[in-house]
């Protein structure tokens, strides 16, 4: 009889209850993920659209939790952002990505995703300086990827932080372009070096959507006039790659050219490219 009240209460909002409980458990585990060495980085190649050689790798964080198994970034990054755990996790990602990039040929760059919450921390630029000096990576080999969402809140603080890292010699890419809150105004205010066209437009255009096609054409034209580069995301086969190349995107990323892979496998790509050239 003692339990009845509890279970009855649960019946009203069972999913909410379960979600809150699961979230609390995930958060507790996430709090210890770094010290338990449960985080790792995968690297996904970005290729030159014309000659298909690797120009950079995007670092993508992975969490293999003792309690929860493999948890995808789409699940734990938002949780990390809500709990400020993104600050230590983001610092770790930045350092590890720079350290790994030192093992690649010097023309190959590394791209690191940075959340708005990280960007508006007063010592964001120091974190970048720290990662560069700790690893010995030249600043011009590091690209910071941010999404449009950073401009929704504390836009001036976010912009100032990006200007600081640009002053160091790093570049900034605008990620998932077109999916979020879109205002072209900030494209003028900040010198992005690359616009990443979201996978949804790439898929849409290939499947015959006139709207997606028009958007990609407009982004490519705009990027060119602003002297920015474009990267198409989520290209999964040869047909899509050819289609995107013809639209004038400068760089391509997607499963067709390589899935996100462990650091060791990423290094092997250069061995293969070297053999192909020789
Ligand atoms: P994103 O920055 O847009 O990263 C690209 C995502 O698209 C990755 O998912 C990648 O695996 C996936 N992808 C790449 N090529 C293809 C393709 O051809 N087809 C399909 N279907 N998918 C493709 P992932 O690794 O699950 O990452 C999801 C998101 O998590 C990222 O989206 C990024 O927003 C966030 N994230 C990952 N690592 C970090 C990090 O270190 N810091 C922060 N703040 N966010 C991160
Ligand atoms: Ca990204
Ligand atoms: Ca993206
Ligand atoms: Ca995304």
């Amino acid at each position: 009889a003692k339990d009845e009240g509890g279970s009855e209460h649960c019946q009203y909002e069972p999913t909410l209850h379960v979600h809150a409980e699961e979230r609390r458990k995930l958060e507790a585990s996430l709090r210890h993920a770094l010290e338990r060495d449960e985080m790792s980085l995968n690297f996904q190649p970005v290729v030159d659209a014309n000659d298909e050689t690797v120009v950079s790798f995007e670092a993508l964080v992975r969490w293999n939790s003792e309690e929860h198994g493999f948890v995808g970034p789409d699940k734990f990054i938002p949780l990390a952002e809500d709990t400020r755990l993104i600050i230590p996790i983001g610092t770790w990602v930045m350092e590890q990505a720079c350290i790994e990039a030192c093992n690649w040929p010097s023309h190959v760059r590394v791209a690191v995703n940075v959340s708005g919450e990280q960007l508006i921390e007063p010592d964001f630029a120091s974190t970048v300086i720290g990662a560069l000096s700790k690893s010995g990576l030249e600043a011009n080999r590091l690209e910071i990827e941010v999404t449009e969402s950073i401009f929704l809140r504390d836009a001036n603080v976010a912009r100032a932080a990006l200007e600081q890292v640009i002053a160091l010699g790093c570049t900034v890419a605008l990620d998932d372009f077109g999916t979020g809150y879109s205002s072209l105004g900030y494209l003028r205010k900040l010198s992005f070096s690359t616009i990443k066209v979201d996978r949804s437009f790439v898929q849409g255009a290939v499947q015959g959507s006139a709207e997606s096609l028009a958007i990609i054409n407009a982004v490519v034209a705009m990027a060119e006039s602003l002297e920015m580069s474009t990267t198409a995301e989520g290209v999964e086969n040869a047909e899509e790659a050819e289609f995107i190349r013809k639209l004038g995107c400068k760089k391509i990323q997607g499963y067709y050219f390589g899935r996100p892979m462990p650091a060791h496998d990423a290094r092997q790509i250069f061995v293969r490219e070297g053999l192909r050239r020789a």
Side-chain angles (χ1 to χ4, degrees), residues 159-207:
R159 182 148 58 96
L162 290 175
E163 273 162 7
Q164 279 183 288
V165 296
I166 289 171
L168 293 174
C170 304
T171 58
V172 181
L174 189 53
D175 202 359
D176 299 348
F177 186 75
T179 58
Y181 158 88
S182 287
S183 151
L184 298 180
Y186 50 72
L187 281 179
R188 193 165 37 93
K189 289 190 187 134
L190 198 94
S191 32
F192 291 101
S193 71
T194 296
I195 298 177
K196 297 189 79 171
V197 181
D198 192 70
R199 173 176 183 282
S200 56
F201 299 110
V202 173
Q203 302 295 311
V206 168
Q207 284 158 21

Side-chain angles (χ1 to χ4, degrees), residues 58 113 145 175 196 233:
E58 178 175 1
N113 294 285
E145 291 194 6
D175 202 359
K196 297 189 79 171
E233 301 187 311

Side-chain angles (χ1 to χ4, degrees), residues 14-35:
T15 51
L16 205 80
H17 183 80
V18 169
H19 284 165
E21 175 67 5
E22 194 198 84
R23 206 183 133 92
R24 197 191 53 74
K25 284 184 182 161
L26 264 188
E27 184 187 329
S29 305
L30 190 58
R31 212 162 276 288
H32 301 285
L34 282 178
E35 72 204 34

